[in-house]
Amino acid sequence: MTGFIHSKESFGTVDGPGIRYVVFMQGCPMRCLYCHNPDTWKIGEGTEITVEEIIDEFNKNRAFYEKGGITVTGGEPLLQLDFLIELFKKCKEEKIHTCIDTSGVNFKNEKDFLERLDILLKYTDLVMLDIKHIESERHKALTGHKNENILSFAKYLEGK
C-alpha cells in the first residue's frame, strides 16, 4: 500500500513524546490563515511512499527513537485513513509508538468511516487533536470550516 506524503522529519521533538520520526501527509481540506504547512494542502499530490519505506527509514535510526516513535501529521493525515491503518499495524508489529496529529475535520459519523477509524485507533497510542478555535464561526473564519466535526471527533475519542 502507498500513501502520499509531503515530507519527513527525522528528529521531531514537539510531535509527541520523545524523539519522533515525523511523516507529513499530503492533503488538507482546511485553509488555516496561520498554517505553517500550506504546501501540504493539495490533495492527491506529493511523494508516493510505501509503509515498508517508512519503517525502513525509521529503523535506520531506531536507537534515537527508543523513547519516541512515529507521528503522522499534515496536511490532514485522516484523509489517507487506509494507508495509516497499514502503517500503524506495521508499527505495532515492530513495537513502535504511534501518534496522529490531526484536526479531525473530516470525521464522519458514518458506519464505514467509523469502522475504519476504529481499526486505526486500535493501533494508535496517542491522538493529538488540533482544535483551532472552540467557537464554530470563529473556527470557520480561521480555517474555512466550522468545528462541529472536530468536536464530534473529540467526543468520539473520549468514549474510546
Side-chain angles (χ1 to χ4, degrees), residues 95-107:
K95 298 184 178 5
I96 299 170
H97 184 275
T98 57
C99 175
I100 302 169
D101 183 357
T102 177
S103 72
V105 69
N106 63 317
F107 176 78

Side-chain angles (χ1 to χ4, degrees), residues 2-159:
T2 61
F4 290 92
I5 67 166
H6 173 269
S7 57
K8 302 165 290 209
E9 181 180 325
S10 63
F11 197 84
T13 59
V14 296
D15 300 289
I19 298 171
R20 316 287 301 177
Y21 184 82
V22 183
V23 180
F24 293 86
M25 304 302 291
Q26 183 67 38
C28 186
M30 295 208 300
R31 296 297 179 260
C32 300
L33 295 178
Y34 50 86
C35 180
H36 59 345
N37 296 323
D39 44 342
T40 66
W41 287 354
K42 291 185 180 175
I43 296 171
E45 293 187 5
T47 302
E48 194 169 5
I49 194 165
T50 66
V51 167
E52 292 76 19
E53 288 173 301
I54 292 172
I55 297 298
D56 287 347
E57 288 185 27
F58 176 89
N59 281 330
K60 286 178 186 174
N61 296 305
R62 190 175 185 120
F64 291 105
Y65 306 123
E66 185 177 321
K67 294 183 180 177
I70 291 179
T71 297
V72 292
T73 187
E76 176 47 56
L78 295 182
L79 286 175
Q80 298 186 60
L81 190 55
D82 295 325
F83 179 75
L84 293 186
I85 291 169
E86 292 305 312
L87 174 60
F88 280 18
K89 275 184 183 178
K90 185 66 174 169
C91 286
K92 291 295 110 185
E93 289 173 15
E94 300 269 337
K95 298 184 178 5
I96 299 170
H97 184 275
T98 57
C99 175
I100 302 169
D101 183 357
T102 177
S103 72
V105 69
N106 63 317
F107 176 78
K108 298 175 222 153
N109 197 7
E110 297 171 0
K111 185 180 183 223
D112 178 60
F113 180 83
L114 294 176
E115 286 174 353
R116 291 167 42 233
L117 179 62
D118 284 345
I119 293 169
L120 176 63
L121 292 176
K122 177 179 168 183
Y123 300 105
T124 302
D125 295 308
L126 177 65
V127 176
M128 296 191 319
L129 183 58
D130 187 5
I131 300 173
K132 308 297 184 181
H133 203 288
I134 199 66
E135 294 177 17
S136 190
E137 288 304 318
R138 287 189 164 178
H139 192 281
K140 185 175 180 179
L142 286 172
T143 70
H145 291 265
K146 292 187 175 187
N147 67 2
E148 283 79 9
N149 286 358
I150 298 160
L151 297 179
S152 293
F153 185 47
K155 287 232 182 258
Y156 188 79
L157 291 172
E158 184 178 53

